[in-house]
Amino acid sequence: SAVISQKPSRDICQRGTSLTIQCQVDSQVTMMFWYRQQPGQSLTLIATANQGSEATYESGFVIDKFPISRPNLTFSTLTVSNMSPEDSSIYLCSVEEGDGYTFGSGTRLTVV
Amino acid sequence: QQQVKQSPQSLIVQKGGISIINCAYENTAFDYFPWYQQFPGKGPALLIAIRPDVSEKKEGRFTISFNKSAKQFSLHIMDSQPGDSATYFCAAPTSGTYKYIFGTGTRLKVLA
């Protein structure tokens, strides 16, 4: 299965700043997915990122808050903009493979 | 909004016992139901999945039972071990799309 490297693994950020999370996959994939997992909660899909096109956002998530780049078939970034304490979560990137999703280890974000 | 209902929220089992986690889903576009296992500080990892051309799938100590008419599926962990202590998520494909909705998670603790 694909190996996903996600950086940073954790960060503590000031309110009002932005953080960019990087996701690198060791193989070429068509779609990459970004999820949010709030403390003790389930996984919520933020957006789907296809190479060469704009990301598709789920209800409740907007591009201005969570801009996504997908410059090639192995890499994507998610930016959490103008952060507030409510953005404190684990952010996960994921790719779909034959038998389901493979996830990165996540970025644990704390906004203070 | 489509949901996947997962129960119980938490589960404590003695070593050697059977752990049972249940999920119920709504309409789906296709039939493929995975279970994910997540350890603290890690991303979810695919544990086992079923395509409902069969009603049961077994891999080692892990078994999925599927009831298509009831729109329910469950995970059974036989001979539960302390190393199985983790959070388990079921997932179901959303109607009309390739995307998955995750259950709310079950925190399993196996006592030594």
Side-chain angles (χ1 to χ4, degrees), chain A residues 40-55:
Chain A
Q41 301 295 314
S42 186
L43 294 89
T44 301
L45 182 63
I46 297 172
T48 303
N50 291 329
Q51 193 268 334
S53 63
E54 285 198 4

Side-chain angles (χ1 to χ4, degrees), chain B residues 5-6 10-11 15-16 20 28 31-32 36 45-46 58 62 68 70 72 74-76 79-80 87 92 94 102 106 111:
Chain B
K5 297 181 180 179
Q6 183 173 344
S10 62
L11 183 60
K15 179 181 177 181
I20 301 175
T28 63
D31 294 330
Y32 178 77
Y36 289 84
L46 180 65
K58 183 176 181 179
F62 301 91
K68 188 170 183 176
Q72 296 176 345
S74 61
L75 175 68
H76 292 63
D79 187 26
S80 298
T87 300
T94 57
F102 287 81
T106 296
L111 302 177

Side-chain angles (χ1 to χ4, degrees), chain A residues 1-3 26-27 29 95-103, chain B residues 32 51:
Chain A
S1 60
V3 176
D26 69 345
S27 58
V29 294
V95 301
E96 186 180 20
E97 299 189 278
D99 291 333
Y101 289 102
T102 297
F103 287 87
Chain B
Y32 178 77
R51 298 186 187 277

Side-chain angles (χ1 to χ4, degrees), chain A residues 13 15 20 22 32 44 55 63 68 81 94 99-100:
Chain A
C13 299
R15 180 194 303 254
T20 295
Q22 298 179 5
M32 296 179 72
T44 301
I63 188 172
I68 288 171
S81 303
S94 174
D99 291 333

Side-chain angles (χ1 to χ4, degrees), chain A residues 12-29:
Chain A
I12 300 173
C13 299
Q14 293 291 324
R15 180 194 303 254
T17 62
S18 297
L19 176 71
T20 295
I21 302 167
Q22 298 179 5
C23 181
Q24 179 76 54
V25 188
D26 69 345
S27 58
Q28 294 184 338
V29 294

Side-chain angles (χ1 to χ4, degrees), chain B residues 4 14 18 22 32 41 50 52 64 73 89 93:
Chain B
V4 176
Q14 293 287 337
I18 302 174
N22 301 298
Y32 178 77
I50 192 169
I64 298 179
F73 57 110
F89 294 96

